[in-house]
Amino acid sequence: MFDAISKKLDSVIRKIRGTGIISEANIEETLKAIRMSMLEADVNYKVVKDFVAAVKEKAMGESVLNAVSPGQQFTKIVHDELTSFLGEKNNGIDTSRTTTLIMLVGLQGSGKTTTAAKLGLYLKNERKLPRILLVGADTYRPAAKEQLKKLAGMIGADFYTEEHNDAIKICKNAYSLLETKLYDIVVFDTAGRLHIDEDMIKEIEIIKKSIPMNEVFLVADSMLGQESVNVAKSFNEAVGLTGIILTKTDGDARGGAALSMKYVTGVPIKFMGTGEKADRFELFHPDRLASSILGMGDIISLVEKVQKSVTEEEAKKTEEKFRKATFNLEDFLEQMKTMKNMGPLDELLKMIPGAANMGLDNVKIDEKELKHTEAIILSMTPKERRRPEILDDSRKKRVAKGCGLPVERVNKLLKQFNMSKKMMKKMGKKTRHGKPNFGQMPGNFRGF
Ligand SMILES: Nc1nc2c(ncn2[C@@H]2O[C@H](COP(=O)(O)OP(=O)(O)OP(=O)(O)O)[C@@H](O)[C@H]2O)c(=O)[nH]1
Ligand SMILES: [Mg+2]
């Protein structure tokens, strides 16, 4: 859903990021392009206005730093503003209490009942909180309680409701169950209306006052468009929201309107629904979205993936080797093995910043090539692997024969190795100035 806004802003920012000199004219031009692309992505017009004004003010007011290019500096300003637009890093929900009480509110059909089950399943799996109670407090729609009961059964949660129309009483009685039974999570599913009306607001106001809710989440349909900002505002003023859950992000909404809710209300977007099934539910990552919008690739995911396959200590050792230029073919081989454990290379490539830009996102890495590289290195003596420079013509011939590949292939590998060694050394140095620490990544993608 956020692809459209990401692509549009990315192309605008990319243009200016590489710019060495920034004049008032090209700032104006870029701001205009930002404004257009945000409006096209359905971002609320007032939000766009504020956003652009804030970027402009900072861009004009900041003195030029020597260490980075003006384009980079400008990108940083946009990134900061984007973070305040989308929100800071998000952990979803604090579940450190004995019992976490969560109330879901929202318009009719926004996805509250489905989300009650999704949230339960998520907390059960991700937080290892097995004792879940879902409370059916929608007394307006006839089939609502039955729907929730079924979902509760599906996710292995308990269900509570009463056969009358007093939603407040149902919630209070459900809460008093806690005196005798321990639950980790209680989710209260409330009724929705087509439009925000007084009765509905009053009901959820009283429920909220009667029970010490830890979270009040607005469940908002991302297809709602521009109206979503007003909806979020009204609910927030009435009951004080602690978070927003965006549903139906798998649809074709442009996303901008939904994202505007956070900027207008200050209430963070916590989770998003990505499909009808109970497991189609994820934490919302504003920081990752901001990075991907600015074409930085899903660098955090990449780093996490790398961290899983390689310990910090190993990474440090590798980096040290790069810096001291003692990195040899044995390390190269080790590195390759680590990379193999990280999954398909083309998937990793997609996550590298700017990969799409370089046309790398569709590159299929030939696993056969990798095997050849491995075969060549394995045909070398340990001494040759440690000191590739001793490989003269006759040694190369021997290696080629040993692995059954032409000498040219051996030469190609050595050339690649030398190039990547040089490049990694350069990147390792940049680390000292606080630039991206690519040196810590064990995979030398470009080397193959
Ligand atoms: N594709 C998709 N469908 C969803 C998602 N979340 C909910 N739905 C669907 O949206 C419809 C409405 O969901 P409900 O959970 O019944 O919505 P509600 O807010 O409880 O509705 P009321 O109780 O009538 O106010 C159902 O058909 C759900 O399957 C989502 O993330 N993606
Ligand atoms: Mg419902």
Side-chain angles (χ1 to χ4, degrees), residues 112-113 138 141 144 147 189-190:
K112 294 175 297 300
T113 306
D138 179 352
R141 206 161 53 79
Q147 182 193 359
D189 177 33
T190 65

Side-chain angles (χ1 to χ4, degrees), residues 26 30 33 89 132 188 226 239 292-293 331 348 360 368 379 383 388-389 408-409 427 445:
N26 59 23
T30 306
K89 203 170 165 49
I132 314 266
F188 297 84
Q226 291 297 329
V239 286
S292 92
I293 285 177
D331 304 314
L348 279 171
L360 282 176
K368 212 163 83 189
S379 302
K383 197 172 158 195
E389 62 276 10
E408 290 79 51
R409 185 64 187 80
M427 285 182 166
F445 312 99

Side-chain angles (χ1 to χ4, degrees), residues 106-115 118 138 141 144 147 189-193 219 246-251 272-276 280:
L107 294 185
Q108 193 175 72
S110 58
K112 294 175 297 300
T113 306
T114 315
T115 301
K118 285 179 170 183
D138 179 352
R141 206 161 53 79
Q147 182 193 359
D189 177 33
T190 65
R193 300 287 193 284
V219 178
L246 274 186
T247 60
K248 308 179 197 177
T249 61
D250 49 316
M272 55 186 196
T274 58
E276 292 194 59
R280 307 296 297 171

Side-chain angles (χ1 to χ4, degrees), residues 344-355:
L345 278 176
D346 43 340
E347 241 168 59
L348 279 171
L349 264 178
K350 273 187 215 154
M351 293 191 267
I352 299 175

